Amino acid sequence: MLVLLKRGVSEAATRDVATRLQMFGLSVHRTDHAGQVRLGAVGEPGGVDWTRISQWPDVESVAEIPVPFKLVSRTFQPHDTVISVGRCAIGSRQLAIMAGPCSVEGEEQAFTIASAVARAGATVLRGGAYKPRTSPYSFQGLGEEGLKLLRRAADAHGLAVVSEVMDAQQVGLVARYADILQVGARNMQNFSLLKEVGHAAKPVLLKRGLAATIEEWLMSAEHIRSQGNAQVILCERGIRTFETYTRNTLDLNAIPVVKELSHLPVIVDPSHGTGIRNKVGPMARASIAAGADGLIIEVHHDPDHALSDGAQSLYPDQFSELMEQIRTIAGVLGRQV
Ligand code: PEP
Ligand code: MN
């Protein structure tokens, strides 16, 4: 339920209303919008007399949140969530551009790519140190060593870091090095991981599952938000369809749909969304045109020898040219890179 408080209600009175709602067994979350306190009371225990509550002196009104993803919905919070990471305000007029290798492979590789993407205008360096690979015989990532390299390469070029965390036990370790915790497509419904990143003090990049509906994806975001972490960034990365020409089918419909349903920022990963180098640019441009708040793109200086996803990685020059095009498109839409 959404409990709207009267304008000008004191902090003490706000706390008092929240405490009384908690006494019904509800969990209470707050957002302030247009000078008004909005409380999301979730975990409906049944038997709560909402008509009575709507008559409490500090309460203006009570309304149902008509979707299952309560706290990430626009009904609870009408305004966009903006997440500050390094030099980037994700979800603002400024586009968030994250780029880097699929996997961190070594010092020279990490520093070379960090330098190239920073020069082209990215503000966040991506790179996996723990890799979810379909085959157990493929490169599994450098682990903590990879995180250390990624952090040093990013710091050397004024970039923030996003890196994947694969299980709940790893959250503390990855959070020590990364500014954004990535939950991969294969883990979108790993509920113990969602709970753990929900307690972390770092933003979470939640990728859409390979076969997840938009509602399931938003419910996973709700798992994180309901644990107290309000800094969730959604990432469309393509879904599995009957089409096999591309690695996945990038669902650009999801951008305007999610922007309407949720206040969370939405970025797009056209690298995994297409799986084909020369299809990344067109879909990156289309994503921004469709209203995405940013991009996450795989870039490698020597993709033929990349230990993962070389075929979908852009050369630094291609990334740089794409950034120029993105700047132009952003300008048309009143946004900046
Ligand atoms: C990745 O970003 O390298 C990755 C593994 O992505 P996804 O979880 O979307 O497949
Ligand atoms: Mn990859």
Side-chain angles (χ1 to χ4, degrees):
M1 283 291 208
L2 173 67
V3 180
L4 280 170
L5 300 194
K6 289 185 178 151
R7 277 165 208 279
V9 160
S10 69
E11 283 300 311
T14 301
R15 272 197 303 278
D16 185 55
V17 172
T19 306
R20 284 192 282 153
L21 290 169
Q22 282 158 353
M23 281 160 61
F24 289 114
L26 293 156
S27 156
V28 182
H29 302 262
R30 170 180 177 168
T31 187
D32 290 24
H33 176 77
Q36 189 169 32
V37 176
R38 303 165 75 91
L39 300 177
V42 290
E44 180 76 58
V48 179
D49 185 349
W50 288 104
T51 312
R52 280 283 293 269
I53 292 172
S54 71
Q55 288 156 3
W56 288 359
D58 297 315
V59 172
E60 183 181 286
S61 63
V62 165
E64 183 95 47
I65 301 177
V67 284
F69 40 89
K70 308 288 178 193
L71 303 172
V72 305
S73 73
R74 288 250 184 222
T75 310
F76 172 56
Q77 182 186 303
H79 61 274
D80 290 340
T81 286
V82 177
I83 300 168
S84 291
V85 181
R87 293 181 282 125
C88 204
I90 306 169
S92 70
R93 304 306 293 169
Q94 180 198 10
L95 298 176
I97 309 292
M98 312 183 186
C102 177
S103 305
V104 185
E105 300 168 6
E107 179 163 358
E108 198 194 330
Q109 180 244 20
F111 276 75
T112 304
I113 299 172
S115 157
V117 302
R119 209 173 327 117
T123 51
V124 181
L125 180 65
R126 66 147 287 146
Y130 295 94
K131 296 301 301 176
R133 302 308 300 278
T134 301
S135 166
Y137 310 117
S138 301
F139 177 59
Q140 306 290 308
L142 295 180
E144 186 171 3
E145 190 48 40
L147 289 172
K148 286 183 182 166
L149 288 173
L150 196 64
R151 182 75 261 169
R152 282 178 40 224
D155 287 345
H157 296 94
L159 299 168
V161 164
V162 56
S163 200
E164 177 158 358
V165 50
M166 291 219 306
D167 66 57
Q169 290 74 40
Q170 258 170 20
V171 173
L173 175 69
V174 178
R176 222 173 296 142
Y177 299 99
D179 302 295
I180 304 174
L181 307 172
Q182 176 174 329
V183 172
R186 290 155 193 81
N187 264 322
M188 190 204 81
Q189 286 187 319
N190 177 339
F191 297 112
S192 37
L193 175 60
L194 298 179
K195 190 168 181 184
E196 203 58 35
V197 296
H199 293 146
K202 292 277 168 89
V204 177
L205 180 70
L206 178 65
K207 292 193 124 189
R208 181 178 181 181
L210 278 71
T213 64
I214 289 172
E215 184 164 309
E216 286 164 339
W217 186 21
L218 291 172
M219 290 309 289
S220 289
E222 184 77 7
H223 269 271
I224 300 170
R225 178 63 185 84
S226 66
Q227 295 299 320
N229 191 345
Q231 303 192 92
V232 181
I233 305 151
L234 298 166
C235 178
E236 165 60 44
R237 48 78 72 204
I239 48 175
R240 192 161 281 188
T241 67
F242 54 79
E243 181 53 67
T244 55
Y245 191 84
T246 48
R247 182 177 179 181
N248 291 290
T249 296
L250 191 63
D251 180 14
L252 294 185
N253 291 351
I255 303 167
V257 170
V258 171
K259 294 297 289 180
E260 181 178 30
L261 294 172
S262 176
H263 51 81
L264 296 175
V266 184
I267 71 164
V268 173
D269 173 351
S271 307
H272 294 88
T274 63
I276 306 170
R277 182 176 305 128
N278 69 9
K279 306 292 178 285
V280 172
M283 297 315 285
R285 297 191 292 268
S287 301
I288 297 304
D293 295 304
L295 296 164
I296 180 164
I297 295 181
E298 289 183 343
V299 176
H300 201 292
H301 63 299
D302 184 13
D304 287 346
H305 298 103
L307 296 181
S308 59
D309 288 348
Q312 67 191 34
S313 299
L314 296 186
Y315 286 95
D317 285 353
Q318 290 178 307
F319 178 66
S320 173
E321 188 186 344
L322 174 62
M323 285 295 285
E324 282 312 309
Q325 297 165 341
I326 296 297
R327 259 182 250 282
T328 305
I329 298 169
V332 171
L333 299 169
R335 306 190 76 162
Q336 314 98 42
V337 171

